[in-house]
Amino acid sequence: MKIGIVCYPTFGGSGVVATELGKALAQKGHQIHFITYIQPVRLNFFNENLFFHAVYVPTYPLFQQYPPYELALASKMVDVVLHEKLDILHVHYAIPHASAAYMAKQILATKNIHIPVVTTLHGTDITLVGKDASFEPVVTFSINQSDAVTTVSTSLKNDTYSHFEITNEIHVIPNFIDLERFKKQEKNHFKKAICPNDEKLLVHISNFRKVKRMNDVVSIFDLVRKDIPAKLLLIGDGPERINLEIQCRELGITDDVRMLGKLDAVEEVLSIADLFLMPSESESFGLSALEAMACEVPVISSDAGGIPELNLNGITGFTSKVGDVNQMAKNALYILQDDNLPTFRENALKRAKEFDLNEIVPSYEKIYEYAKNKLKK
Ligand code: GMT
């Protein structure tokens, strides 16, 4: 199949899932055309079936404040469908990709080309920005106009039905993991450098946005550190970074907290971690927790959104109410006991294997067939 994939090309989970999906489909022999404004960060790989088409928004004085990206994207989709003879368009994240796809589809229909559109909803496009009155009518319309709609968890499917008037069926296809890449590696020298006195290592990875409750990450760590020697690694970057620096200084724990910025090879850091923290306010799935679990790292998380569909309470880690840092710290200390950690590690890996890319990617191929058949009717 010739598939056009539209996504955000940045480090965010939706772009990562879209890119990993494209790479996996290319390896299965599909021809994949990424359509976005810069090369996706995880598209760092050569395969004869992978193509990248850049969306270019011309500058013009009138566009200075609001460049019309959605129109340039829709035009690019039309261009790529026509010239590469695509069979399907798969857009990740509703805003503005689903409505741009709708526009492209209508333009193509005037040329007697009928292209099915699959929309995958990832989280904040529904739970945060999507339901804002500034976008809600367009999001509802474009979800209903898609030939197939998927969400990354049952929780996100339920949220979509409750926040919008959806007439379309929604299919759940969870996030997936490449177990060849995400596995515990031998990195003892690195562990020794970060934890010279055999401290326990806690890790958090995110885009440092408010929704991640980064202050809770630091509070949990501070409570753990009062009981056992521990270090915290923070990977990623974003608007909350400054607040975190202030919080760490106020708590007097800067020597035990390191911010590594945006890293490509997160699996190397996860290989030396003892515990992953995800206290998010809202989280449709929690891809970075899955990446940690694949590297045998148990998870202390909130019970927000789709996280409990991944992190099994008392088995692969613990889930607690959003903001309950005392409970989270208590559970973290329980997991980190030498008698308990190996079992939690084993369970985390076992659970991660249920999201193996080889098991999940065929569900997307089935959805493409479903969308094609739906369009024909
Ligand atoms: O986690 C983020 O803030 C990035 C965000 C995105 O839209 O790029 O991630 C969302 O999609 C991921 C992939 O499907 C999910 O694993 C994340 O849980 C989800 N984030 C939120 O719902 C906050």
Side-chain angles (χ1 to χ4, degrees):
M1 223 184 275
K2 290 185 171 186
I3 305 159
I5 292 187
V6 178
C7 63
Y8 281 102
T10 50
F11 274 95
S14 63
V16 169
V17 168
T19 313
E20 296 297 342
L21 174 64
K23 284 155 70 174
L25 289 167
Q27 281 190 317
K28 292 183 88 174
H30 297 284
Q31 203 182 83
I32 306 299
H33 294 262
F34 286 96
I35 308 170
T36 184
Y37 57 88
I38 47 164
Q39 180 137 346
V41 280
R42 290 247 183 131
L43 193 60
N44 48 4
F45 162 103
F46 173 75
N47 178 297
E48 68 278 17
N49 291 328
L50 285 174
F51 300 82
F52 166 61
H53 306 269
V55 179
Y56 168 66
V57 188
T59 51
Y60 188 66
L62 281 178
F63 299 163
Q64 221 160 5
Q65 199 169 355
Y66 300 112
Y69 177 68
E70 190 173 349
L71 301 186
L73 174 62
S75 298
K76 194 65 179 180
M77 285 193 231
V78 169
D79 177 74
V80 178
V81 170
L82 285 175
H83 290 99
E84 303 291 348
K85 308 206 168 2
L86 298 189
D87 299 305
I88 195 149
L89 279 171
H90 185 180
V91 300
H92 292 258
Y93 207 90
I95 306 167
H97 301 152
S99 43
Y102 172 76
M103 200 186 306
K105 181 175 165 168
Q106 295 309 312
I107 295 168
L108 287 159
T110 64
K111 301 176 192 297
N112 218 16
I113 291 168
H114 301 281
I115 183 123
V117 171
V118 175
T119 297
T120 291
L121 306 171
H122 281 272
T124 47
D125 46 352
I126 296 302
T127 54
L128 279 176
V129 272
K131 64 182 185 192
D132 189 289
S134 326
F135 296 119
E136 184 277 320
V138 174
V139 172
T140 306
F141 177 80
S142 43
I143 292 175
N144 285 334
Q145 292 297 320
S146 300
D147 299 292
V149 182
T150 75
T151 57
V152 297
S153 62
T154 303
S155 153
L156 185 60
K157 171 180 167 169
N158 295 340
D159 281 345
T160 309
Y161 280 128
S162 62
H163 296 324
F164 303 90
E165 273 184 39
I166 300 301
T167 50
N168 238 337
E169 189 179 348
I170 297 179
H171 305 259
V172 176
I173 305 182
N175 287 175
F176 54 84
I177 187 86
D178 177 356
L179 294 161
E180 289 296 309
R181 172 178 168 189
F182 286 90
K183 59 182 171 199
K184 192 169 166 64
Q185 304 169 11
E186 202 51 56
K187 292 280 167 195
N188 284 342
H189 59 292
F190 186 26
K191 176 87 187 236
K192 198 95 209 118
I194 304 285
C195 302
N197 302 309
D198 219 18
E199 293 91 342
K200 293 291 186 221
L201 184 61
L202 284 67
V203 171
H204 170 83
I205 305 175
S206 77
N207 49 25
F208 288 29
R209 296 203 186 126
K210 266 218 148 27
V211 70
K212 303 293 174 184
R213 294 187 68 100
M214 304 292 295
N215 294 122
D216 286 1
V217 171
V218 173
S219 300
I220 298 164
F221 172 69
D222 183 47
L223 290 168
V224 168
R225 185 185 160 280
K226 285 187 171 130
D227 257 53
I228 58 169
K231 299 275 183 187
L232 174 65
L233 286 183
L234 297 169
I235 299 165
D237 205 353
E240 289 296 298
R241 187 189 168 113
I242 300 293
N243 290 337
L244 290 181
E245 285 172 0
I246 296 170
Q247 189 188 6
C248 291
R249 276 186 207 148
E250 284 175 356
L251 290 168
I253 58 172
T254 46
D255 286 350
D256 292 328
V257 181
R258 279 169 81 151
M259 300 199 193
L260 301 186
K262 292 178 183 171
L263 285 186
D264 277 335
V266 286
E267 65 278 17
E268 293 184 2
V269 177
L270 291 170
S271 291
I272 62 164
D274 297 300
L275 193 64
F276 189 80
L277 301 178
M278 180 177 265
S280 307
E281 178 92 41
S282 145
E283 197 71 58
S284 65
F285 181 88
L287 179 61
S288 52
L290 174 58
E291 293 178 342
M293 288 161 69
C295 296
E296 302 176 34
V297 185
V299 176
I300 284 291
S301 68
S302 69
D303 61 0
I307 304 178
E309 295 173 47
L310 169 69
N311 185 22
L312 306 179
N313 194 30
I315 298 170
T316 60
F318 285 98
T319 54
S320 306
K321 292 270 160 275
V322 173
D324 192 348
V325 290
N326 289 320
Q327 185 68 44
M328 291 184 200
K330 203 170 141 211
N331 289 335
L333 286 164
Y334 178 79
I335 294 178
L336 291 169
Q337 287 174 26
D338 289 338
D339 283 351
N340 298 337
L341 190 53
T343 309
F344 278 97
R345 283 193 183 280
E346 215 175 281
N347 293 347
L349 175 61
K350 194 167 160 221
R351 179 73 178 146
K353 285 182 176 165
E354 292 173 35
F355 299 90
D356 182 348
L357 161 162
N358 297 308
E359 303 294 324
I360 309 285
V361 168
S363 306
Y364 279 110
E365 290 173 293
K366 282 191 201 129
I367 281 292
Y368 297 155
E369 290 303 332
Y370 168 92
K372 278 167 66 181
N373 290 333
K374 198 169 163 204
L375 187 69
K376 269 189 222 147
K377 282 179 193 159

